[in-house]
Amino acid sequence: MAVYTDVSEEELSVYLRDYALGDMMSYKGIAEGSENSNYLLHTTVGTYILTLYEKRVDGAELPFFLGLMQHLARKGINCPLPVERRDGGLIGTLAGRPAAIITFLEGVWMRRPTAAHCREVGKALAGMHLAGGDFDMRRQNRLSVEGWKHLWEMTRPRADEYEAGLAAEIDAEFAAFAEAWPGDLPSGVIHADLFPDNVFFLGERLSGLIDFYFACNDLFAYDVATCLNAWCFEKDNSFNLTKGRALLAGYQSVRPLEPAEREALPLLARGSALRFMLTRLYDWLTIPDGALVQKRDPSEFIRRLRFHRHISSATEYGLTLP
Amino acid sequence: MAVYTDVSEEELSVYLRDYALGDMMSYKGIAEGSENSNYLLHTTVGTYILTLYEKRVDGAELPFFLGLMQHLARKGINCPLPVERRDGGLIGTLAGRPAAIITFLEGVWMRRPTAAHCREVGKALAGMHLAGGDFDMRRQNRLSVEGWKHLWEMTRPRADEYEAGLAAEIDAEFAAFAEAWPGDLPSGVIHADLFPDNVFFLGERLSGLIDFYFACNDLFAYDVATCLNAWCFEKDNSFNLTKGRALLAGYQSVRPLEPAEREALPLLARGSALRFMLTRLYDWLTIPDGALVQKRDPSEFIRRLRFHRHISSATEYGLTLP
């Protein structure tokens, strides 16, 4: 939640010459997106988001992310459309960083989503899974089981500083995953980070999905499991069955889950909770207090992980037959 | 440069019921303004800035600041117009804080202003001084000589940590001010913080003055002196005479300076440099490293202070007879 790179009006004017976007009217750094510098840009033609990619994003992966947004937007998914430069490319250089301009989506993200919002998110997620089917680039999920192991090696020695007994508990999780993590479920392009701040609504209508910078090729049902973690728990960490039912029914109204996906859902949800717990724990242990980056508490995902460990069937999330 | 208070879409929807601004389309926290939380708000009617006043702003002073903007905008000064609530008021409460909505001004601030920009700033400053003439509220300048003394009492014991000999040097400044600070020059409402980030341009046309939260009643020529400090020095701290001449000529094309104002200008510029040096030194000594607030180096104002100490006549700033 910061702007890391300041851009001068001269640099931006020069940069905009490579686009057919008219004249610059204003640009404001916005406090969204934890990894990149984002500006809300007004030109005589319209409103856009200008993103400067900071060092945590691998420039070599930008063609995947921006190409995916372009592919999905052209298929009718409500997501930002990268604006083509005059030379047809999507990526430029501004203030020494890779940069892109994408269309601005109206809408607000729901701090307290309702079941109706969850249903729309489920539908949109399934629509994205189908629309990505013929996208021809691939990107491995760096934050799947192998990536978690790497994070865990770095955090394990200090995990008990966060909570006594956590190291042993998570070791046992990894043992469970090693045996049972599914490899042969339907897969394709997933969003992998579809939390409420990445979904815009106008009233109850979903107006857009944003932030595709974790998108990758992985199991569709894993993306569903992440949405359960992201949308269906209350502030007190209780699972809201009504929201779970709405999210899953919304998803299945577009893409019914296969029996093997249903069966795997509790384990996938547990893995997804572990994934977010691990990145938060890593940040918690390594980012100094008072730093510019906001640290989020891993505890809510430790609780979700424990919740999912005791789920024996996806019907407990509200899953019904399609 | 931060958003301190998050606002939920529910809270904001409720808040907007008190205004005739149509339906909310989007709102984004913007990374501008160091004291308050600012959101860029799109509604079905237009684009606005929503400000939540954080604790460094005294709520009792908001009627002055917002009333001044309304007064100036109605007089044709390019500045934000506070949007009236349905009840006619300008100030509401949102997320537990005083809040206001003002119109959005297009334009960009100049990281590297030219002499042409300085001329426009001079004209706009004089226009504001004249337009404020019949504004009927008053606010004392808390950051004039008495306020500096208070800041200096707090920073003096550690000033030499910043630079050896600084405490003695600044003591001597205060002795000089005690004798010579003028009290009887033309005065009225001044902006008091008209730095480049508070002035928007579209090309070379000045499109708006913003951020009136230091505005107060004080000497007009002191405001001119602050603009010399803010606009006419280069990154290497050298004074750019061409810019000084342009700024002062622009000012005098609207409001000629009186002989006593011209004579006082070097001392006022020295005092203005001291004022910004003191607040920066205070922040430098008191804000912990790595904090969310960006600390700005006091050294550039120490250098300006020393520069002005050796100016014997305002002609050295490029001042000519009107």
Side-chain angles (χ1 to χ4, degrees):
Chain A
M1 190 155 134
V3 171
Y4 300 95
T5 304
D6 189 39
V7 174
S8 78
E9 80 294 344
E10 285 172 308
E11 288 172 301
L12 184 51
S13 291
V14 170
Y15 184 75
L16 287 174
R17 284 186 208 144
D18 293 331
Y19 293 83
L21 290 178
D23 293 325
M24 178 168 64
M25 299 276 284
S26 60
Y27 65 105
K28 307 265 186 218
I30 58 175
E32 295 191 4
S34 54
E35 311 251 320
N36 302 314
S37 298
N38 289 300
Y39 288 87
L40 187 56
L41 169 70
H42 286 188
T43 76
T44 45
V45 170
T47 301
Y48 305 89
I49 299 285
L50 164 71
T51 301
L52 277 68
Y53 298 95
E54 303 294 341
K55 60 186 178 204
R56 281 180 75 167
V57 173
D58 180 352
E61 298 195 319
L62 289 177
F64 176 88
F65 300 133
L66 291 161
L68 176 63
M69 281 187 253
Q70 189 177 49
H71 177 89
L72 295 175
R74 284 177 175 169
K75 289 233 161 184
I77 302 297
N78 289 320
C79 70
L81 176 65
V83 178
E84 287 189 356
R85 296 158 55 87
R86 293 186 196 273
D87 65 8
L90 301 178
I91 302 159
T93 302
L94 180 56
R97 282 158 181 78
I101 295 175
I102 60 178
T103 54
F104 176 80
L105 299 182
E106 296 287 359
V108 300
W109 69 266
M110 295 289 142
R111 274 71 173 171
R112 294 169 62 182
T114 65
H117 296 125
C118 292
R119 184 178 179 87
E120 292 306 301
V121 168
K123 285 165 69 176
L125 184 71
M128 184 205 139
H129 288 168
L130 297 180
D134 56 349
F135 181 57
D136 59 5
M137 300 178 77
R138 291 185 59 82
R139 177 177 180 264
Q140 193 190 342
N141 188 357
R142 294 209 199 141
L143 289 171
S144 189
V145 185
E146 287 307 309
W148 307 341
K149 284 182 188 159
H150 180 61
L151 274 171
W152 183 232
E153 282 166 22
M154 292 188 292
T155 46
R156 189 184 185 289
R158 293 181 53 202
D160 282 2
E161 287 177 29
Y162 182 78
E163 183 182 318
L166 190 61
E169 180 178 353
I170 301 302
D171 280 344
E173 288 296 312
F174 274 103
F177 290 136
E179 286 176 26
W181 194 257
D184 54 355
L185 299 179
S187 66
V189 180
I190 69 168
H191 185 285
D193 193 38
L194 202 61
F195 278 71
D197 55 339
N198 288 331
V199 182
F200 293 160
F201 289 89
L202 286 168
E204 289 191 347
R205 184 174 70 78
L206 189 152
S207 62
L209 309 179
I210 65 161
D211 199 347
F212 289 80
Y213 301 107
F214 287 97
C216 56
N217 290 77
D218 206 339
L219 310 178
F220 291 143
Y222 176 70
D223 224 8
V224 176
T226 293
C227 283
L228 288 173
N229 282 322
W231 291 83
C232 303
F233 286 82
E234 300 300 317
K235 298 271 182 254
D236 67 358
N237 293 304
S238 65
F239 182 76
N240 183 319
L241 186 63
T242 307
K243 292 181 181 176
R245 185 177 290 130
L247 190 138
L248 293 165
Y251 187 89
Q252 294 206 102
S253 72
V254 176
R255 180 184 170 269
L257 291 168
E258 295 182 3
E261 292 180 287
R262 303 157 157 271
E263 197 181 317
L265 206 54
L267 187 71
L268 296 173
R270 200 167 140 189
S272 164
L274 180 66
R275 171 255 179 273
F276 289 100
M277 189 279 280
L278 285 170
T279 47
R280 289 194 179 188
L281 183 63
Y282 179 78
D283 288 348
W284 192 265
L285 293 173
T286 56
I287 295 176
D289 284 332
L292 215 61
V293 175
Q294 207 178 3
K295 295 205 287 189
R296 287 185 292 194
D297 192 337
S299 74
E300 57 183 295
F301 287 101
I302 297 175
R303 296 199 184 204
R304 281 164 180 56
L305 177 64
R306 289 170 186 161
F307 172 85
H308 296 302
R309 203 186 290 149
H310 299 289
I311 297 290
S312 56
S313 157
T315 56
E316 295 177 56
Y317 299 128
L319 187 76
T320 55
L321 285 176
Chain B
M1 192 154 131
V3 171
Y4 302 95
T5 304
D6 190 39
V7 174
S8 78
E9 80 293 344
E10 284 171 310
E11 287 170 300
L12 184 52
S13 293
V14 169
Y15 184 75
L16 287 175
R17 284 186 208 143
D18 292 330
Y19 293 82
L21 290 177
D23 293 326
M24 178 167 64
M25 298 277 283
S26 61
Y27 64 105
K28 308 266 185 217
I30 57 174
E32 295 190 5
S34 54
E35 311 252 320
N36 303 312
S37 299
N38 289 299
Y39 289 88
L40 187 57
L41 169 69
H42 286 187
T43 76
T44 45
V45 171
T47 300
Y48 305 91
I49 299 285
L50 164 71
T51 300
L52 277 68
Y53 298 95
E54 303 294 342
K55 61 185 176 204
R56 281 181 74 168
V57 173
D58 179 353
E61 299 195 317
L62 289 177
F64 176 89
F65 301 134
L66 292 161
L68 176 62
M69 282 187 255
Q70 190 177 47
H71 177 88
L72 295 175
R74 285 176 175 170
K75 289 235 161 185
I77 302 296
N78 290 319
C79 71
L81 176 65
V83 178
E84 287 188 356
R85 296 158 56 86
R86 293 185 196 274
D87 65 8
L90 301 178
I91 302 159
T93 302
L94 180 56
R97 282 159 182 77
I101 295 175
I102 61 177
T103 54
F104 176 79
L105 299 183
E106 296 287 359
V108 300
W109 68 266
M110 294 289 140
R111 274 71 172 169
R112 293 169 63 183
T114 65
H117 296 123
C118 292
R119 185 179 178 86
E120 293 305 302
V121 168
K123 285 165 68 177
L125 184 70
M128 184 205 140
H129 288 170
L130 296 182
D134 56 348
F135 181 57
D136 59 5
M137 301 179 76
R138 291 184 59 82
R139 177 177 180 262
Q140 194 191 344
N141 188 358
R142 294 208 200 143
L143 289 172
S144 189
V145 185
E146 287 308 308
W148 307 342
K149 284 183 188 160
H150 180 61
L151 273 171
W152 184 233
E153 281 166 22
M154 292 189 291
T155 46
R156 189 183 185 288
R158 292 181 55 202
D160 283 1
E161 286 177 30
Y162 183 77
E163 184 183 317
L166 190 61
E169 180 178 353
I170 302 302
D171 280 344
E173 288 296 313
F174 275 103
F177 290 135
E179 288 175 25
W181 195 256
D184 54 354
L185 300 179
S187 66
V189 179
I190 70 168
H191 185 285
D193 193 38
L194 201 61
F195 277 71
D197 55 339
N198 288 331
V199 181
F200 294 161
F201 288 89
L202 286 168
E204 289 191 349
R205 185 174 71 78
L206 190 152
S207 62
L209 308 179
I210 65 161
D211 200 347
F212 288 79
Y213 301 107
F214 287 97
C216 55
N217 290 76
D218 206 340
L219 309 178
F220 291 143
Y222 176 70
D223 224 8
V224 176
T226 293
C227 283
L228 287 174
N229 282 322
W231 291 84
C232 302
F233 286 82
E234 299 301 316
K235 299 270 181 256
D236 66 359
N237 293 304
S238 64
F239 182 76
N240 184 318
L241 185 65
T242 307
K243 292 182 181 176
R245 186 176 290 132
L247 191 138
L248 293 167
Y251 188 88
Q252 295 208 99
S253 72
V254 176
R255 181 184 170 269
L257 290 169
E258 295 181 3
E261 292 182 288
R262 301 156 159 271
E263 198 181 317
L265 205 54
L267 187 72
L268 296 173
R270 203 167 138 188
S272 165
L274 179 66
R275 171 254 178 274
F276 289 99
M277 190 279 279
L278 285 170
T279 47
R280 289 194 179 188
L281 182 64
Y282 179 79
D283 288 350
W284 192 266
L285 293 172
T286 56
I287 297 176
D289 284 332
L292 215 62
V293 176
Q294 208 179 0
K295 296 205 287 189
R296 286 185 290 193
D297 192 337
S299 74
E300 56 183 296
F301 286 102
I302 297 176
R303 295 199 185 205
R304 282 164 180 56
L305 178 63
R306 289 171 186 161
F307 172 83
H308 296 303
R309 203 186 291 148
H310 299 290
I311 298 288
S312 55
S313 156
T315 56
E316 294 177 57
Y317 299 129
L319 187 75
T320 53
L321 286 177

